Structure formats: C-alpha cells, structure tokens
Amino acid sequence: MISLRSSYILRGRGIPAFNRIDVAQPSTSYIAPYLFACLLKFLQPNVAIVFYALLGLFSVAGTAAIIVWYSRSTTNALLLVSLLVCTSTNFKFALNGWDHLFQGFVLAFATALSLKPGMTSRRMVAVSFLLVLSTLFRPDGLILSLGILAVAYLASTSSRQFLLFGAGPYIVLVGAALALNLHQFGHLTPTTTRLKFGAAPSLGYILKYIVANGILSYSALTLLVMLTVFYFAFSHTMSREKGLLVVSSCLVTAIIALYNSDYLSGARMIWSPVCQLAVLIAVSSPALLSSSKHRLKELLDIAPIYRRQPSASPPQSTTRGFRAFLAFMAVVVIGSLTSLIAQRHKNAVISHDSLYESTTAQEFFVSQWIAINLAPTDGSIGFFNLGVSYDLPRFEIADFNGVADESIATRKAKGGMPGHNKWNVSQTLNKWNPQAIIPGGPIDPTRPETRANSLSHAPYLLSNSKITGEYDYCYVPDSDGGIADKWGFYLRKDIATRHLDQLRCPTE
C-alpha cells in the first residue's frame, strides 16, 4: 500500500514520492509506483488494487510454468512446484502484490534462458531485459542479476556478444533508472534501504527469526536450505560453474536479507532466491524417477488432446506447453481457493467481534472519520504504520518511523522490529505539526492498561511535552454498523474543539 500511495503522488507531482511537500521514496521498488499509476489511468482505485494483487498471483503461477517448461523431468518439475507453492511464504504473500512475486518470476525466466544451451544474441537481450526488471522491482535484484549475467557470459559465443547484448543493455537501462532516482530524490537507492539495512536490533532477534521461519515453519527459507543441500549433493550431475554462480548469488542475497531480518513472518525476502534455485535444479538435475512407465508422466506425455494418431507421440514442445499450462492453472486455482478460504475465515472472525484485534481495521476505521471530517489545510496526519495512509490521499503524512522520512531513516536503529525501530518524536512533531496522530495500538493516557503498551505502539509519544500540552486523546463515534473505536487517536486541541459534538475525548 505504501507503493500504491506513491503512485497517487506520482500522477500529481511527477515523482513517486510519499508526500507533496517532502522528498522521500518509501517504496522499496523503483518500478512498482509507475506500474500502479498506469493501472489507475484505466481502472478505479479499488479495482486496480485487486488487479495488481492478481498480477502477483499470476507471477507465482508463471514461475511454476517456467519450472515445468524448462525442466528435464516432469517428476522433478511437479515436485519443485509443489514444494514452492506449499511454503508459508506463498500462502501468506501470493495475493498481496509484493514486489518479490514479480521479481521472482522475471529472475526465474532469466535463469532458465541463461542455462539453456546454445546462447543466441536474441536470447541474451531477453535475459538482460529480464534482469533489468528484477533490479527495478527491488534493489537486491542487483546481486541476483550479477550471478545470471556471469552465467550468460559463460554461455556466450564471444565477449562481444556478451557486452553488446547482455551486460551493455543491463548497465545502460539500470544506470538510467538509478540516475533518474538520484535526480528525483538525491539518492541511488530508496529511503527504505537506509531505513532497514542493518536495522535488526540484535543477533538474538536475527536468530529467533531464522528459527521461527526456517525451522518451526516451512517457508521459502526452509526450501532454500533444502535446495542448496540437494544441489551440492548432486552437483556432479549438473553444470558446476554455472550452477555455483547461481547458488552463490542466491546465498549472498539470502544472507544479507537475514542479516537485515524482517518484522513480518514468512521469510518473504527469500522468495526470489528460492525461485532461482528451483529453476536451476529443474533445468540441471536428472529425473528422480526416470521410469517411462510412471503413471503421472505417462498421463502428461500422452494427453489425448495432443495426439493426432493413436500411435503417435506428441511433439516435445507441445507436451511441455501442456505441462506448463497445467502448472500455471493449478497455481492460480490453488491461490484463488486459498484466498477464498482465508476471506471466509476473516469474515467469520469479524462476525465474532475480533475486529478490534486488527491493527489495519482499527486504523482504517479512524482514518475514514478523518477523511470525512478533517481538512488537509489544517495539517498532516501522523502514522506509526504507513499502510492505511493510502486511504488518505488528500493529506500529507507524517511518518514517525522513517519509511517516508529521510531524516528518520538515516538515524541509528533502536530496540524493536526492523523497519519500525527508528524514531525521533520531537523532530517529527516539529517538522510536520500533524493535526491528528494514529498510533499503532491503543495508548489512551487516561487508562493504565493502554499506557503500559505505549512503548510498543507509539514509542515515547505519551511523554512528549508537545503531545501532553497541545493534543487530546479522542475516540471517533460508533459506526452505523455498531463498530466502536476502542483504540483512539491523538487530535490537536484546536481541531478537537471543532468536533466535540462527535468525539469522545476523556480527560485524566
């Protein structure tokens, strides 16, 4: 949602910033704001969000289709696809439209093309263009792309072919994108790079994250380890030099991702490397079950729809196309069913009054009142979790945790989750003078049970002299559906006095 808000600002300001009067690039992706801005030209915002999320699911399905299409063995391909789509990473993020999904798809495609024998100039250009996209979707694509470029060099017929059709286009296009970013924001990398790099609070936090997401749950991290072990166990049957280049770039990227850690479970940062490794093994490894009488293999190889004569064997490309199509459709169907089941569960949860446990739901509830009743000319809206700010496109947003504020992003990390452990409350208040502040949880200063949680929901906000002197803690009125605001938010006193007939603003 952060990238999507940047798309709104892009259409009005001409750069994918987060605010109209400040320079910061909170989107981790160089290209995502531009893609969503294009969708907004043809679709309504809510429809565009759903469509963008579906494109992410199609990217997962496309990755599965690539594995099946280029695999040496149908058995291996189906096993790899099953292992990939059954990760907690896929179940949690396949329909979220995360940048990793798109990046994983283009990297999988580039890996398959670079490992295919007989490199041609046209294929080299295709690999280069795909690697450009992978880097523009996320900066960490640079490391993964360098590994594939090295493979392309080994596969090229001459250094001239590699420079003209491989490295040359990549350097020019990525260089142009970085130069544009430097011109727009004064940095080569997004603001989130400076916010999150090295921001893990401790070695213990990193180790707990690895254990929770690599051992106690089956995620992309678990599969990365499994595929790496498999590669080295059977490396004598694969292309050793090219394989080592791919594996090395994947492991380096994974190590950096784990060093920076994450605040979300599921090891989403490992998705792209594991997609690359899955393609490498699909393309290079021999069949685990090589018997031609294997039932599933027979079924796919002699699918009646592709047989012109009872005794004729289908062309190899046709059979591969059928397999890839089946894999693509299977992932789409499984992903859609998973989404429907999750939605039914979500509806059941909401119907049992557990709405109040959802950070997003509570923030959205408050933000809707703000959108209707407050004016952008009276000041910005402060957030500790930026996602819901997408629903307030008319307002400037004061980001207390630095995702959209360079002056906070470059500060030293403190205790807490990566990406949410940098702040300077006084600096943000003085810079933005927000008319309202939506905390990450209930922090009502008149209630002891919520005061105790204030450090985790809004670090040091309650003890700030500007907050205690110039702001009231208020609750928005109940909705028509009977939903009550149980979290509350801070409202500047000059604004609160205009809405006392609507709000509940308890005093100590």
Side-chain angles (χ1 to χ4, degrees):
M1 302 304 287
I2 293 174
S3 296
L4 304 189
R5 177 182 164 88
S6 296
S7 301
Y8 278 121
I9 305 301
L10 171 63
R11 298 181 69 193
R13 187 180 175 185
I15 63 173
F18 201 73
N19 286 304
R20 297 168 183 84
I21 60 173
D22 193 37
V23 178
Q25 183 194 12
S27 174
T28 308
S29 173
Y30 294 103
I31 198 173
Y34 293 93
L35 293 177
F36 192 71
C38 292
L39 290 179
L40 289 175
K41 290 185 178 180
F42 305 101
L43 301 171
Q44 292 297 319
N46 288 341
V47 177
I49 291 173
V50 174
F51 187 80
Y52 194 78
L54 286 175
L55 288 179
L57 176 61
F58 289 154
S59 295
V60 177
T63 302
I66 288 168
I67 292 172
V68 173
W69 178 269
Y70 288 98
S71 179
R72 290 173 57 183
S73 160
T74 303
T75 305
N76 289 8
L78 295 178
L79 179 59
L80 286 166
V81 169
S82 299
L83 289 171
L84 193 62
V85 300
C86 288
T87 59
S88 60
T89 316
N90 179 62
F91 286 133
K92 185 168 185 176
F93 297 107
L95 266 172
N96 282 11
W98 287 103
D99 308 325
H100 314 81
L101 307 177
F102 304 101
Q103 186 190 52
F105 169 68
V106 295
L107 282 170
F109 201 1
T111 303
L113 292 179
S114 65
L115 292 172
K116 186 178 179 181
M119 178 64 73
T120 63
S121 297
R122 181 179 298 179
R123 183 144 44 93
M124 184 78 76
V125 170
V127 170
S128 180
F129 180 71
L130 290 168
L131 294 181
V132 169
L133 289 178
S134 77
T135 306
L136 297 186
F137 272 119
R138 288 183 58 82
D140 55 7
L142 175 63
I143 299 173
L144 297 167
S145 295
L146 290 177
I148 302 302
L149 279 175
V151 172
Y153 173 75
L154 294 178
S156 63
T157 57
S158 65
S159 298
R160 182 175 179 273
Q161 182 196 47
F162 172 71
L163 291 174
L164 288 179
F165 302 105
Y170 178 83
I171 293 172
V172 169
L173 293 176
V174 171
L178 295 179
L180 176 63
N181 202 77
L182 180 64
H183 171 70
Q184 293 175 332
F185 299 101
H187 296 277
L188 292 175
T189 55
T191 303
T192 47
T193 304
R194 287 170 290 287
L195 177 75
K196 296 181 179 180
F197 188 80
S202 66
L203 177 60
Y205 185 98
I206 296 173
L207 294 176
K208 287 180 181 178
Y209 187 86
I210 292 173
V211 171
N213 294 279
I215 299 176
L216 300 182
S217 68
Y218 173 64
S219 70
L221 176 58
T222 315
L223 184 56
L224 180 81
V225 174
M226 291 168 56
L227 296 183
T228 302
V229 171
F230 179 88
Y231 171 79
F232 285 108
F234 295 93
S235 59
H236 61 280
T237 65
M238 308 183 206
S239 175
R240 190 166 185 83
E241 287 185 340
K242 295 178 181 178
L244 281 176
L245 288 170
V246 174
V247 172
S248 297
S249 64
C250 290
L251 292 180
V252 169
T253 302
I255 290 171
I256 293 174
L258 293 174
Y259 169 72
N260 293 324
S261 197
D262 197 6
Y263 71 98
L264 292 175
S265 61
R268 55 182 175 145
M269 306 297 182
I270 312 298
W271 179 259
S272 295
V274 85
C275 288
Q276 273 192 270
L277 276 184
V279 172
L280 168 66
I281 291 175
V283 172
S284 305
S285 63
L288 295 178
L289 297 174
S290 58
S291 172
S292 60
K293 295 181 180 180
H294 188 266
R295 291 184 181 274
L296 182 57
K297 186 175 186 300
E298 275 192 342
L299 177 62
L300 294 175
D301 282 348
I302 60 174
I305 191 173
Y306 290 107
R307 293 185 65 189
R308 296 191 178 186
Q309 299 177 4
S311 59
S313 298
Q316 184 179 4
S317 60
T318 302
T319 303
R320 287 188 302 175
F322 177 63
R323 298 171 187 165
F325 174 76
L326 284 181
F328 181 90
M329 292 305 300
V331 173
V332 170
V333 170
I334 292 172
S336 300
L337 289 175
T338 303
S339 175
L340 290 173
I341 294 171
Q343 186 62 40
R344 286 178 62 85
H345 174 69
K346 182 179 180 181
N347 291 339
V349 170
I350 291 176
S351 67
H352 285 84
D353 297 326
S354 295
L355 173 70
Y356 307 113
E357 298 177 5
S358 169
T359 301
T360 303
Q362 286 291 303
E363 290 175 336
F364 179 78
F365 185 46
V366 174
S367 70
Q368 290 308 289
W369 184 89
I370 289 174
I372 296 171
N373 295 280
L374 302 188
T377 53
D378 287 324
S380 62
I381 308 300
F383 276 93
F384 284 83
N385 300 315
L386 276 189
V388 176
S389 63
Y390 168 84
D391 297 292
L392 296 172
R394 297 185 301 120
F395 293 83
E396 298 296 292
I397 302 299
D399 175 24
F400 281 85
N401 283 333
V403 176
D405 193 327
E406 282 284 346
S407 62
I408 302 298
T410 52
R411 299 183 68 86
K412 184 178 179 180
K414 303 176 183 180
M417 301 179 296
H420 295 76
N421 58 356
K422 295 182 179 181
W423 62 82
N424 187 315
V425 173
S426 296
Q427 180 178 318
T428 302
L429 290 173
N430 292 333
K431 177 179 178 178
W432 290 101
N433 191 29
Q435 60 176 311
I437 302 171
I438 303 178
I443 58 171
D444 188 341
T446 67
R447 299 169 58 186
E449 67 272 19
T450 57
R451 287 182 65 93
N453 297 326
S454 63
L455 282 180
S456 60
H457 295 319
Y460 300 102
L461 194 66
L462 268 63
S463 60
N464 185 274
S465 59
K466 186 177 179 70
I467 290 293
T468 57
E470 301 179 19
Y471 287 81
D472 288 330
Y473 200 84
C474 301
Y475 295 85
V476 303
D478 294 356
S479 71
D480 294 336
I483 299 175
D485 176 16
K486 293 190 176 181
W487 282 24
F489 68 111
Y490 270 110
L491 193 60
R492 217 169 55 216
K493 289 185 176 181
D494 60 305
I495 307 296
T497 54
R498 306 176 197 170
H499 302 279
L500 292 179
D501 58 329
Q502 295 177 284
L503 301 170
R504 293 182 293 111
C505 302
T507 58
E508 297 189 60

